[in-house]
């Protein structure tokens, strides 16, 4: 038996979740101590220590009126916050309609498996026992789908609120030095990370316990209906990511092309009409979208592990503690990340610009090392020394140390993917410097080098994923892969904190530029932002790597549930699925890229129109019309997110219903294999182009200075590369990992229906 009794599990999981929530509120309170309202007494307040704990402000030596800057920062922050809130509300209205419609589909499809009968049925895996009727599974799957969707939406929304709350505070702290600004941005990122990890865990745990009241000992049905939670989380994430990605990049591309290339004004210049839309976009795409995305991964990997466990010895012997092993790992993850966060904010202080990136990298290393110890503790206290795992119809004997290794393989593979991504996207290393160097001969060579870099950056992550799949599958079949994915996501709170830090410091730089603060402050926020770009790429690497493992685990659960013993590539049914599945990521990317392109076109025309027709705009005498640009972005993204979303949501339904489970298993495998490659290469190419441009702009080394100041030919070529990379790294790339997971989890939820009624076309012939 396990050392931890069931009562212990029932206490540990909610307590860890609550600790996570409390910790994030404490961090939020610390961020809120930075005041964004000017003191009436003016400069004397800064000396008395009211404004910022009595710190010496940079602005005093520059002789700029402090109050003026603070007022402007507050104004800009309000504009960004309002824009982001109104966009998300519009988006959620549309998505809400979709949610209700899809919930009805889930209920009808799953209810029809046994003709809506309310009688108990023989269990799927053990025909001697009786399980609850399919109608119950339909009802509870629908409920957990809505629950997951709401949790996902709330996670994204709270993240956006915190980011828009913290951006101006980071700018104001930058006046006191780079360390203070870093801590403010990082703390706000941590608020989001911990809220999301803890909420996801708590809601899932409560749902399991509530469903248990009805299901009792029928754990197989219980955990089958819980999979709806992952589906809800990811379907919201898809719309958040695609809608937010189109929004942010339409504004970004429009602002850059007209502002930087045609008019030669700096990035985030207040004269640029698209500048507010651009900063709003960072919050709705990178924060709200990323939050929902990682929440979806997290929910799905937990669901995949629970489904496989429920038909293994844990489920058969009703061992509650061992059954909740995935949730206990996540609980441990929250505690580990809490300690890790203190390393960045309290134990060490950042004094110079050079220390920013190492500090963020240390976060990853510390959390991984501590988590390894944490996983060991959880494994030895919660699992019996030997147990069996369901493996395609047979039960496989597994030892607890093997499961420990499965989790660790995922955990360390995540770290490797993170560091490889960093090597290919950070301007401290040769790949990005080579891309920057190729800008000497114009935009074309820049594009060629950037694409090559992206394709090359796929190699090591794929080997890392392949090795972790092989090791974890050899030890513990599909359950091993599910817990490996959970291992990769166990440090989600730290990963998200690092990830949300990027857009917050990006916004802080924008606010500094718009409020007309001195160039020294802009240099500090730029340094924070460049580090943030790299960490955002690391975050995307994590999201893609975990998506690959999660969807493979879900695929395994689907194959078990649909009662397919082997997926044979040589049968035509499966092969046509494979080849079509491999095409889907391309079709999806084409849709999202084109959406960004056409939205950016409208934006460019509007920005040009304002520069040409509003008198005194270039001189800075009149304000541009920001609202029109915000509206263009909002309308475009709402309209354009529907087709890609429909493609992903409808494919499994159509294939499963008309072609059956074998073809669907081919489609899932195909989309997984091709989607991962495109996703990694797209996000790394985009990240590298962005940082090559920053490398030239910062001019920190002799090599960078030879490439010219802002406005040189090489810099213009770099801006073009960056603009091409924008939709790759922030729209197509990150949305693809949702495509992979979403199709797999949807197939799993609808598996009972496909297994009984699927394959209509083949039945006719």
């Amino acid at each position: 038996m396990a050392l931890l009794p069931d009562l212990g599990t029932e206490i540990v999981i909610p307590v860890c979740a609550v600790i996570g929530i409390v910790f994030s509120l404490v961090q939020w309170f610390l961020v809120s101590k930075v005041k964004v309202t000017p003191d009436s007494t003016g400069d004397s307040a800064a000396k008395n220590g009211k404004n910022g704990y009595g710190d010496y402000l940079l602005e005093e030596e520059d002789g700029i009126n402090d109050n003026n800057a603070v007022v402007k920062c507050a104004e800009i922050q309000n504009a960004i916050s309002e824009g982001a809130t109104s966009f998300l509300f519009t988006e959620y209205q549309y998505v809400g309609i979709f949610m209700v419609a899809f919930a009805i589909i889930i209920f009808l499809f799953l209810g029809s498996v046994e003709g809506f009968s309310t009688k108990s049925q023989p269990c799927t895996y053990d025909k001697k026992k009786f399980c609850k009727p399919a109608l119950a599974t339909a009802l509870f799957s629908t409920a957990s789908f809505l629950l997951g969707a709401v949790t996902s939406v709330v996670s994204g929304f709270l993240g956006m609120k915190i980011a828009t709350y913290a951006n101006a505070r980071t700018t104001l702290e930058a006046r006191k030095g780079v360390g203070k600004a870093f801590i403010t941005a990082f703390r706000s990122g941590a608020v989001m990370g911990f809220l999301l990890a803890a909420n996801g865990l708590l809601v899932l745990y409560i749902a399991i316990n509530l469903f248990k009241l009805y299901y009792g000992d029928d754990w197989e049905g219980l955990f089958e209906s819980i999979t709806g939670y992952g589906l809800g989380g990811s379907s919201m994430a898809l719309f958040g990511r695609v809608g937010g990605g189109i929004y942010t990049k339409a504004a970004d591309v429009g602002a850059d092309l007209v502002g930087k290339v045609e008019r030669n004004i700096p990035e985030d210049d207040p004269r640029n009409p698209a500048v507010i839309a651009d900063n709003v976009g960072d919050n709705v795409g990178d924060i709200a979208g990323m939050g929902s995305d990682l929440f979806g991964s997290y929910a799905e990997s937990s669901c995949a592990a629970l489904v496989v466990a429920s038909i293994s010895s844990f489920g058969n012997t009703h061992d509650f503690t061992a059954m909740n092993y995935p949730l206990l790992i996540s609980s441990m993850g929250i505690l580990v990340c809490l300690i890790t966060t203190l390393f960045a904010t309290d134990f060490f202080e950042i004094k110079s610009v050079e220390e920013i990136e190492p500090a963020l990298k240390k976060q990853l290393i510390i959390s991984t090392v501590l988590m390894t110890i944490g996983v060991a503790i959880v494994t030895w206290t919660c699992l019996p020394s030997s147990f069996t795992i369901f493996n395609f119809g047979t039960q496989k004997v597994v030892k607890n140390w093997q499961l420990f290794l499965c989790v660790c393989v995922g955990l360390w593979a995540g770290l490797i993917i993170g560091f490889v991504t960093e090597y290919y996207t950070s301007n401290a290393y040769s790949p990005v410097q080579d891309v920057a160097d190729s800008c000497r001969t114009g935009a074309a060579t820049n594009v060629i080098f950037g694409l090559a870099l992206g394709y090359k950056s796929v190699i090591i992550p794929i080997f890392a994923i392949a090795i972790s799949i092989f090791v974890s599958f050899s030890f513990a079949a599909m359950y091993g892969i599910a817990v490996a994915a959970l291992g990769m996501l166990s440090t989600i709170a730290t990963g998200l904190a690092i990830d949300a830090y990027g857009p917050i410091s990006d916004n802080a730089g924008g606010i500094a530029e718009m409020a007309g603060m001195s160039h020294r402050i802009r240099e500090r926020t730029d340094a924070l932002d460049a580090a943030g770009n790299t960490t955002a790429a690391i975050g995307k690497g994590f999201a893609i790597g975990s998506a690959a493992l999660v969807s493979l685990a879900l695929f395994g659960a689907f194959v078990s549930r649909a009662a397919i013993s082997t997926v044979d590539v040589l049968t035509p049914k499966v092969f046509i699925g494979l080849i079509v599945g491999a095409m889907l990521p391309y079709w999806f990317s084409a849709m999202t890229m084109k959406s960004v392109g056409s939205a950016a076109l409208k934006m460019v025309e509007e920005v040009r129109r304002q520069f040409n027709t509003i008198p005194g705009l270039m001189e800075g005498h009149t304000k541009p019309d920001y609202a029109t640009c915000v509206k263009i972005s909002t309308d475009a993204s709402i309209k354009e997110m529907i087709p890609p979303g429909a493609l992903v949501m409808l494919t499994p339904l159509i294939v499963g219903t008309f072609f059956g489970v074998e073809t669907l298993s081919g489609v899932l495998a195909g989309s997984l294999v091709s989607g991962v490659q495109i996703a990694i290469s797209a996000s790394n190419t985009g990240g590298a182009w962005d940082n090559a441009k920053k490398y030239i702009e910062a001019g920190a080394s002799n090599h960078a200075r030879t490439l010219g100041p802002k406005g040189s030919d090489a810099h213009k070529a770099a801006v073009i590369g960056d603009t091409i990379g924008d939709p790759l790294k922030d729209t197509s790339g990150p949305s693809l990992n949702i495509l992979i997971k979403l199709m797999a989890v949807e197939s799993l939820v609808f598996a009972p229906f496909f297994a009984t009624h699927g394959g209509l076309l083949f039945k006719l012939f």
Side-chain angles (χ1 to χ4, degrees), residues 440-702:
R440 288 174 199 279
T441 46
T445 40
N446 180 23
V447 170
I448 294 169
F449 269 71
L451 287 171
L453 175 144
Y455 297 149
K456 199 172 154 195
S457 69
V458 175
I459 303 169
I460 299 174
I462 291 294
F463 276 118
I465 292 172
I467 291 167
S468 45
I469 287 172
F470 183 78
V471 171
S472 49
F473 194 93
S474 311
F475 281 147
M478 278 302 170
Y479 189 68
I481 292 177
V483 293
L486 261 174
M488 202 178 273
L489 289 165
S490 58
T491 51
I492 185 175
T494 295
L496 261 172
I498 292 177
D499 210 50
Y501 155 86
I504 292 173
S505 33
D506 189 350
N507 261 207
I511 292 176
E513 182 77 50
M514 284 187 268
M517 291 177 147
S518 73
H519 71 102
R520 313 228 311 265
I521 289 188
R522 181 69 216 210
E523 274 168 19
R524 288 172 178 181
T525 54
D526 271 352
L528 289 171
D529 183 19
N533 254 344
T534 305
T535 55
I538 293 177
K540 285 173 192 134
F542 262 94
I544 295 164
S546 62
L549 290 177
V550 168
S551 57
L552 189 61
L554 291 165
F555 178 67
F558 161 72
V559 170
S560 308
R561 182 62 187 85
I564 310 172
S565 48
T566 50
V567 178
D568 183 1
V569 184
L570 294 175
T571 52
K573 278 187 192 178
V574 175
F575 194 80
I576 56 169
L578 266 179
I579 204 157
V580 170
M583 173 274 300
L584 288 173
Y586 289 90
W587 189 0
F588 180 82
S589 299
M591 284 178 164
T592 49
M593 300 271 288
K594 193 142 183 285
S595 304
V596 172
S598 56
L601 202 67
K602 291 192 191 104
M603 188 65 82
V604 166
E605 282 164 1
E606 172 60 25
V607 175
R608 275 187 192 147
R609 184 193 68 76
Q610 292 200 26
F611 273 128
N612 293 333
T613 57
I614 300 180
L617 180 57
M618 268 309 276
E619 294 72 43
H621 300 319
T622 46
K623 268 188 164 178
D625 173 11
Y626 296 130
T628 313
C629 289
V630 172
K631 188 170 172 3
I632 288 178
S633 259
T634 304
D635 294 349
S637 55
I638 298 291
K639 193 170 108 253
E640 303 278 0
M641 76 182 182
I642 311 285
L647 173 73
V648 180
M649 298 301 286
L650 295 177
T651 302
L653 286 181
I654 293 169
V655 174
T657 309
F658 293 110
F659 298 93
V661 281
E662 281 97 346
T663 311
L664 182 54
S665 63
V667 169
L668 294 180
S671 65
L672 166 64
V673 168
S674 88
V676 173
Q677 331 287 337
I678 306 176
I680 296 176
S681 65
S683 64
N684 288 352
T685 297
W689 274 328
D690 194 344
N691 274 344
K693 175 202 71 176
K694 287 225 166 46
Y695 175 74
I696 295 176
E697 286 176 354
S701 66
N702 285 333

Side-chain angles (χ1 to χ4, degrees), residues 148-169:
V150 170
T151 313
S152 183
V153 162
V154 169
S155 307
F157 187 75
L158 287 176
M160 182 281 303
K161 271 292 183 214
I162 284 144
T164 51
Y165 183 79
N167 49 20
R169 287 173 165 77

Side-chain angles (χ1 to χ4, degrees), residues 173 282 738:
E173 286 290 274
D282 289 334
I738 306 182

Side-chain angles (χ1 to χ4, degrees), residues 333-410:
I334 291 178
L335 300 181
V336 163
C337 292
L338 198 148
I339 299 166
T340 312
T341 304
L342 295 177
F343 274 98
T345 54
D346 298 279
F347 300 159
F348 299 110
E349 198 185 348
I350 287 189
K351 293 187 179 62
S352 69
V353 170
E354 287 76 46
E355 292 171 15
I356 300 171
E357 227 172 274
L360 291 167
K361 272 159 62 178
K362 276 187 201 126
Q363 285 286 299
L364 287 176
I365 298 171
I366 294 169
S367 64
T368 307
V369 171
L370 290 177
M371 192 61 206
T372 309
I373 302 165
V375 173
I377 296 169
V378 171
T379 310
W380 265 265
T381 52
C382 304
L383 291 180
S385 58
S386 165
F387 42 90
T388 63
I389 294 286
F390 185 84
N391 178 21
F392 300 122
T394 57
Q395 293 280 354
K396 177 183 171 116
V397 178
V398 180
K399 303 270 189 294
N400 59 4
W401 60 266
Q402 290 176 311
L403 215 48
F404 163 70
L405 287 180
C406 290
V407 182
C408 289
V409 158

